[in-house]
Amino acid sequence: MAGAHAVSGRHPVAVIIGMMGAGKTRVGREVAQMLRLPFLDADIEIEREVGMSIPDYFAQYGEPAFRRVESELIARTLSDFDGIFALGGGAPMTPAVQDALAGYMDEGGRVIYLQADPKEAMERANRGGGRPMLDGGDANARWMRLYEQRDPVFTALANVHVRTHGSTPQMAARKVMNMIEERVVHVDVAGGDDYNVRIGEGAMNHLAGVLGPGAHRIALIHTQPVQRHSDRARALLRQAGYEVSDIVIPDAEAGKTVTVANGIWERLGREGFTRSDAVVGVGGGAATDLAGFIAATWMRGVHYVNCPTSLLAMVDASTGGKTGINTTGGKNLAGSFYTPAGVLADTTTLASLPNDIFIEGLGEVAKSGFISDPEILRILREHAAELRAFDGASLLGSPLEDVVDELIERTVRVKARHVSADLKEAGLREFLNYGHTMGHAIEKIEHFRWRHGNAVAVGMVYAAELASILGIIDDDLVVEHRTLLDSLGLPTSWNGGSYEDVLALMHRDKKARGNRLRFVVLDAIGHPIHLDDPPADAVEEAFRRIAG
């Protein structure tokens, strides 16, 4: 429950809004019980306060008087209640309530729009009775008129959207609980569009809400191994009314080629994709890289959302707006900086992740600890044995799940800080490439059979050895690199290629300037620096030290 109490002071953990008959009270009670929190229903509290039923109050005093009482009660509750709070169906249409909810969200609050199927909600509203807004004529017709007025307002007002079509109250409550407990990292991009990275069980349920109503067609780009997750994304998209084109690409780096990209461009052209349509990438880092590249290049840029399914993709590739494909010259040499509309790191996908693919993701996690957040390193040291023994089948609901969620959130926050200040890698963002100069060379020489996180782990040891040789750091920090990475099951040495081949590839690294090598090294934990044109003998000696 790490994310449940994100709002400081006595404020509701969540506020639930929705149409009459959406199940706000029933679902709200279930959520409160699951989270062991108090529950309040605004309509019940109003009846207690005015000493009569809401229909009687409407009849005696009219709707304007009722809305004033309702607005005042909601404002008080938002500032002095720390549970789950359900509002009446029409409450969010009142400007005073909208302002109060906006202030609540500004402080980190969650306003959850419970989006029920209209037919189901109408039936429940009619069965329940006591609905003054449905009195006088055809109740279903009145409900639909209200829905047409309110749905756009509720959609725009809420910062969390939960579709409950066909769900039991318990299933709907579980969806709401997952969204309450998720972690959210806001990426504020200088010179680009801001977006959120949502981390937690069920984060993919935000997919339609993040895409919004503008797009008609969605290109769903994914690999075969994540079919079960792409099936879920497709179902969510179709439920929301999108037309989905299913595009399967080769797994891993084999999917990041000009040939694959060209095949997708040709298909989008045949199917009539326009600038108002969108792309969704589901899979590991290679799949989300390619999906972003397609989105950036089609019609000079269309909306896209990443749904990473591996630890590496969640903490690195899907976030930050770097998109790209590989060429014969090297990795990610063709690409663009193009920010997603959102990133949905649904941790339920980690349950199907093999141990070795999870472990490689820890390479990028450790990198963020070394360059910016020492607390990441502490968590990794403390839980190294459990992380190394990762078993996806037993992850969800275990103590390790909270550890993994915190590591993802902290790593994404490190990336967000660097990206926010430097979208296009002109300076600060280059520090995210710690370990990558050697790492990318290893990947290329190994024909991408080495996974990215493993190559970066060796690359960090290389960078530490280089800094040590030059007297920038002492040997203790080199030992700390080797010890931590080894304890996590990550490689710390490599002898798969010649020094001459590695040197040639490092000269083609994106950080290189002319014929001068440029590395990111540390002069202390949490303090990366640029190292330009180091002595050739030091570069070679560091290579010998990793050739174990």
Side-chain angles (χ1 to χ4, degrees):
M1 281 188 43
H5 295 275
V7 186
S8 60
R10 280 179 59 83
H11 297 280
V13 169
V15 175
I16 300 176
I17 66 173
M19 286 295 296
M20 292 175 287
K24 299 182 295 296
T25 300
R26 175 71 185 277
V27 171
R29 287 190 194 280
E30 292 278 354
V31 172
Q33 185 174 3
M34 289 175 176
L35 296 175
R36 296 185 177 88
L37 293 170
F39 173 75
L40 282 182
D41 180 290
D43 285 349
I44 294 173
E45 295 305 306
I46 290 169
E47 290 184 337
R48 183 177 292 123
E49 185 170 304
V50 301
M52 66 178 73
S53 70
I54 288 175
D56 288 345
Y57 195 89
F58 255 75
Q60 189 167 337
Y61 298 102
E63 184 181 359
F66 171 78
R67 296 301 178 195
R68 283 194 297 272
V69 172
E70 181 181 56
S71 298
E72 291 168 4
L73 181 137
I74 290 170
R76 291 197 307 272
T77 306
L78 289 176
S79 63
D80 192 28
F81 178 63
D82 56 1
I84 306 298
F85 185 31
L87 305 192
M93 299 299 290
T94 305
V97 173
Q98 293 174 4
D99 291 344
L101 291 175
Y104 162 71
M105 288 187 288
D106 285 344
E107 296 185 21
R110 293 176 173 86
V111 174
I112 298 173
Y113 178 18
L114 209 61
Q115 296 173 299
D117 176 70
K119 184 178 178 182
E120 293 174 3
M122 271 191 287
E123 289 175 356
R124 283 196 294 266
N126 288 330
R127 284 200 308 269
R131 313 273 187 179
M133 298 301 292
L134 299 184
D135 291 343
D138 186 334
N140 284 349
R142 290 178 67 84
W143 191 98
M144 281 306 300
R145 282 198 298 272
L146 289 171
Y147 176 74
E148 289 165 3
Q149 295 167 9
R150 293 176 179 179
D151 177 63
V153 175
F154 292 1
T155 299
L157 179 62
N159 57 4
V160 178
H161 302 81
V162 178
R163 291 176 62 84
T164 64
H165 295 211
S167 299
T168 66
Q170 291 78 15
M171 291 164 60
R174 180 75 189 181
K175 286 183 181 180
V176 171
M177 186 185 75
N178 286 339
M179 290 193 176
I180 289 172
E181 292 193 314
E182 75 183 6
R183 300 160 186 259
V184 180
V185 179
H186 183 71
V187 185
D188 184 5
V189 182
D193 294 325
D194 297 357
Y195 59 96
N196 287 326
V197 181
R198 297 183 177 275
I199 305 157
E201 290 186 45
M204 198 184 288
N205 290 328
H206 289 288
L207 188 51
V210 175
L211 283 167
H216 171 62
R217 296 183 186 85
I218 306 295
L220 180 62
I221 299 174
H222 65 94
T223 58
Q224 191 63 45
V226 301
Q227 186 70 50
R228 61 189 288 191
H229 308 311
S230 63
D231 286 348
R232 183 164 159 237
R234 188 185 312 103
L236 290 168
L237 292 168
R238 286 179 175 163
Q239 283 174 9
Y242 296 105
E243 182 181 314
V244 181
S245 292
D246 197 65
I247 301 175
V248 183
I249 62 171
D251 193 24
E253 299 296 330
K256 284 178 57 176
T257 67
V258 175
T259 302
V260 172
N262 187 58
I264 296 174
W265 289 323
E266 289 183 351
R267 179 166 171 185
L268 298 184
R270 287 196 306 271
E271 297 185 7
F273 270 71
T274 69
R275 186 172 288 177
S276 64
D277 295 320
V279 171
V280 171
V282 179
T288 55
D289 273 357
L290 178 75
F293 182 70
I294 294 296
T297 52
W298 185 252
M299 297 279 181
R300 296 187 176 89
V302 298
H303 223 43
Y304 82 106
V305 175
N306 275 333
C307 298
T309 60
S310 70
L311 178 61
L312 181 78
M314 290 178 184
V315 300
D316 182 39
S318 67
T319 302
K322 282 172 71 172
T323 77
I325 56 175
N326 305 327
T327 69
T328 55
K331 182 169 180 176
N332 294 332
L333 294 182
S336 68
F337 295 94
Y338 191 66
T339 54
V343 177
L344 305 177
D346 192 327
T347 53
T348 59
T349 63
L350 298 179
S352 61
L353 205 63
N355 174 272
D356 61 330
I357 300 180
F358 176 82
I359 295 297
E360 72 131 344
L362 295 175
E364 284 285 352
V365 174
K367 178 208 72 180
S368 293
F370 280 121
I371 67 169
S372 183
D373 184 357
E375 181 64 11
I376 290 176
L377 302 181
R378 185 198 67 76
I379 295 169
L380 289 173
R381 282 192 295 268
E382 187 173 317
H383 297 280
E386 304 147 70
L387 291 165
R388 185 171 185 162
F390 171 84
D391 176 10
S394 61
L395 176 67
L396 301 181
S398 72
L400 186 62
E401 183 181 8
D402 282 341
V403 174
V404 172
D405 285 357
E406 183 172 1
L407 287 171
I408 295 171
E409 180 186 4
R410 284 184 171 275
T411 305
V412 171
R413 288 195 185 281
V414 169
K415 188 151 194 177
R417 284 196 294 272
H418 288 75
V419 170
S420 296
D422 177 22
L423 173 64
K424 296 193 174 179
E425 207 165 68
L428 181 66
R429 183 172 180 160
E430 278 195 341
F431 293 142
L432 293 171
N433 287 320
Y434 184 54
H436 284 57
T437 302
M438 172 60 73
H440 282 164
I442 292 172
E443 288 181 272
K444 175 64 176 169
I445 289 171
E446 293 287 354
H447 303 288
F448 301 107
R449 289 187 296 266
W450 263 56
R451 292 197 168 272
H452 177 70
N454 293 345
V456 167
V458 175
M460 287 189 287
V461 175
Y462 175 85
E465 292 283 10
L466 180 60
S468 174
I469 291 165
L470 295 174
I472 298 171
I473 61 173
D474 58 33
D475 288 343
D476 288 347
L477 188 47
V478 180
V479 171
E480 183 166 354
H481 277 70
R482 289 185 176 274
T483 302
L484 176 63
L485 297 171
D486 184 65
S487 73
L488 295 168
L490 288 159
T492 57
S493 62
W494 174 76
N495 59 4
S498 71
Y499 173 67
E500 290 72 21
D501 289 343
V502 168
L503 186 63
L505 285 168
M506 290 196 298
H507 271 289
R508 278 145 62 182
D509 181 75
K510 294 189 295 294
K511 293 184 298 304
R513 299 293 186 266
N515 197 39
R516 300 170 62 205
L517 290 175
R518 180 176 171 90
F519 294 92
V520 175
V521 299
L522 303 181
D523 63 9
I525 287 179
H527 195 260
I529 60 172
H530 289 115
L531 175 62
D532 292 321
D533 206 19
D537 58 344
V539 174
E540 186 171 0
E541 172 61 22
F543 175 78
R544 283 199 294 270
R545 292 187 182 185
I546 65 159

